[in-house]
Amino acid sequence: MKQKVIIIGGGAAGFFAAITMAELNPNLEITILEKSKSVLQKVKVSGGGRCNVTHACFTPQELIEFYPRGKKELLGPFHQFMTGDTMAWFEDRGVPLKIEEDNRVFPVSNSSQSIIDCLVSNAIKLGVSLVKQTNVLGIEMIKDKFKVYTNKDNCVASKLLIATGSSSKVWRLIENLGHHIIPPVPSLFTFNITDHLIKDIPGISVPNATVKLVGSNLKSHGPLLITHWGLSGPAVLKLSAFAARELAEKNYTYTVEVNWLGQSFEMVQQRLTELKTVDAKKNIDVKSPYREMPRRLWLKLLDTASIDHKMRWADLPQKQIAILAGYCTGSTFKAEGKSTFKEEFVTAGGVDLRE
């Protein structure tokens, strides 16, 4: 007699688990319960429709450093199944992958449909049952079995896997089983900022900025993008993830400091001072002195430092150079709130990590 397993959630985690369990143990009767009429919708839109499968980091100790929380809990699993195993898993099932320059891993097809087709076809081939438009209403533990109540039929299973992500409804069901739920907060979002320095220059980006949460030791480094509503880009999104709890406690009213160049104040001050001699006769607004800083941003920094655009480098006082270097390496912004755009799809919270 086959042992019955129920998986709640028809996302990537649910399918991946179902396929792996079915391959390891043919004596399992596995059913995936999905509340919507389609599966793997987040996979479909991830990576801009290409599906960012994993990241080309192959050392567990290094990989856990990219996670804001749960390092201790992830180290063991990563020693069992790592990013290289993930790549091999898909390639063994007919989906060739490629590593891009930024170490993100995508299917060679550049289409998330390749991943969806792989997961669905392999699940069906292994006899996994997929029941869509099934809303789980309750979960009850009866002796050594799980009874799952749905809007269709009730079912009983020996094993229950919950892979629903940040579903507050399912969390309440889990809590009724005795688990502790940590209140969720958004963990990946852009910063809403209204400031004259970044006003009117949306679309401007710099490749090596450092963004710091003022009043803490939390900071991140990487590409930064100015948007119509404030600041975005990998540096901002990473900081929002690592500072998720702190920002929630501040009710999303906080101050961030941006180093546009990712260089020290002293280095920038020295570079600007050298230009007094090297480009003595040139106006300071002719071009940005840094290739990685767009001219439109450079002009905004000159305005913020109250420096006349038509001033020659030779005539720029050392005091104003110091002020300008300060803005280049430490522009501060008051942020009010967080974005409500598509970037915000990760939460911090849920089942206590200790459980």
Side-chain angles (χ1 to χ4, degrees):
M1 184 176 179
K2 289 191 173 183
Q3 188 180 46
K4 183 151 188 171
V5 177
I6 292 176
I7 299 174
I8 302 176
F15 270 89
F16 194 87
I19 294 167
T20 304
M21 287 191 291
E23 288 178 337
L24 291 172
N25 189 349
N27 291 319
L28 295 178
E29 181 185 336
I30 303 171
T31 301
I32 296 176
L33 304 180
E34 168 56 40
K35 70 176 181 179
S36 65
K37 59 183 179 181
S38 56
V39 295
L40 300 165
Q41 287 306 292
K42 286 187 178 180
V43 171
K44 190 173 185 66
V45 299
S46 70
R50 295 197 297 146
C51 186
N52 183 188
V53 177
T54 186
H55 196 77
C57 175
F58 303 105
T59 305
Q61 286 81 359
E62 182 183 351
L63 185 61
I64 62 172
E65 294 301 322
F66 291 99
Y67 288 81
R69 291 155 292 276
K71 296 179 183 179
K72 179 182 176 182
E73 291 80 7
L74 285 168
L75 188 58
F78 283 165
H79 273 99
Q80 294 294 318
F81 196 93
M82 197 42 189
T83 50
D85 301 302
T86 301
M87 293 179 69
W89 195 93
F90 280 104
E91 290 178 344
D92 288 347
R93 289 161 182 78
V95 183
L97 303 175
K98 61 177 178 176
I99 300 173
E100 299 196 341
E101 285 186 8
D102 58 3
N103 284 331
R104 290 186 299 169
V105 179
F106 290 95
V108 170
S109 67
N110 280 325
S111 172
S112 57
Q113 194 62 45
S114 299
I115 303 299
I116 293 171
D117 292 344
C118 171
L119 293 172
V120 173
S121 63
N122 277 277
I124 292 173
K125 182 174 69 176
L126 290 164
V128 175
S129 299
L130 176 60
V131 185
K132 302 176 186 177
Q133 294 181 285
T134 302
N135 198 5
V136 175
L137 305 175
I139 303 170
E140 187 179 6
M141 190 78 181
I142 302 176
K143 294 184 179 179
D144 60 344
K145 303 287 185 183
F146 291 96
K147 187 170 184 178
V148 180
Y149 300 88
T150 77
N151 61 320
K152 295 180 177 179
D153 299 322
N154 301 329
C155 42
V156 178
S158 301
K159 302 290 182 182
L160 177 67
L161 176 70
I162 298 175
T164 54
S166 55
S167 168
S168 55
K169 177 185 174 183
V170 175
W171 282 341
R172 286 193 292 272
L173 300 180
I174 296 172
E175 202 166 24
N176 291 336
L177 295 174
H179 280 290
H180 298 92
I181 302 298
I182 305 299
V185 297
S187 177
L188 198 66
F189 50 87
T190 57
F191 296 163
N192 281 0
I193 296 171
T194 302
D195 191 280
H196 71 279
L197 199 161
I198 59 175
K199 186 181 179 183
D200 303 325
I201 54 171
I204 291 294
S205 64
V206 292
N208 299 306
T210 298
V211 187
K212 179 181 179 182
L213 178 63
V214 175
S216 77
N217 293 321
L218 294 167
K219 62 182 178 180
S220 66
H221 183 79
L224 178 68
L225 172 68
I226 297 172
T227 69
H228 287 286
W229 60 88
L231 296 176
S232 185
V236 166
L237 295 175
K238 182 180 178 181
L239 181 59
S240 76
F242 277 84
R245 289 282 168 199
E246 289 82 353
L247 295 179
E249 290 169 3
K250 293 176 181 292
N251 197 29
Y252 302 103
T253 299
Y254 51 97
T255 302
V256 292
E257 180 182 277
V258 176
N259 182 328
W260 300 99
L261 298 166
Q263 299 180 18
S264 70
F265 169 85
E266 290 76 17
M267 289 178 64
V268 175
Q269 185 180 39
Q270 181 180 345
R271 164 68 174 155
L272 298 181
T273 300
E274 289 171 353
L275 291 174
K276 284 173 63 65
T277 302
V278 176
D279 289 335
K281 296 182 179 181
K282 292 182 179 179
N283 288 1
I284 59 177
D285 70 339
V286 172
K287 66 176 183 178
S288 167
Y290 290 94
R291 184 175 57 184
E292 61 268 38
M293 178 183 285
R295 181 171 179 267
R296 288 170 64 201
L297 175 58
W298 171 246
L299 296 179
K300 281 283 191 176
L301 288 167
L302 292 178
D303 289 338
T304 305
S306 300
I307 296 175
D308 182 358
H309 290 195
K310 298 307 177 183
M311 182 180 290
R312 297 187 311 163
W313 277 105
D315 301 327
L316 186 62
Q318 199 64 42
K319 183 178 180 179
Q320 284 191 298
I321 283 181
I323 293 172
L324 183 56
Y327 283 119
C328 287
T329 59
S331 298
T332 57
F333 301 96
K334 295 283 186 182
E336 293 285 344
K338 54 183 174 54
S339 71
T340 53
F341 297 90
K342 64 181 182 180
E343 292 96 338
E344 188 183 312
F345 56 85
V346 175
T347 56
V351 178
D352 194 320
L353 287 173
R354 292 171 296 183
E355 300 173 12

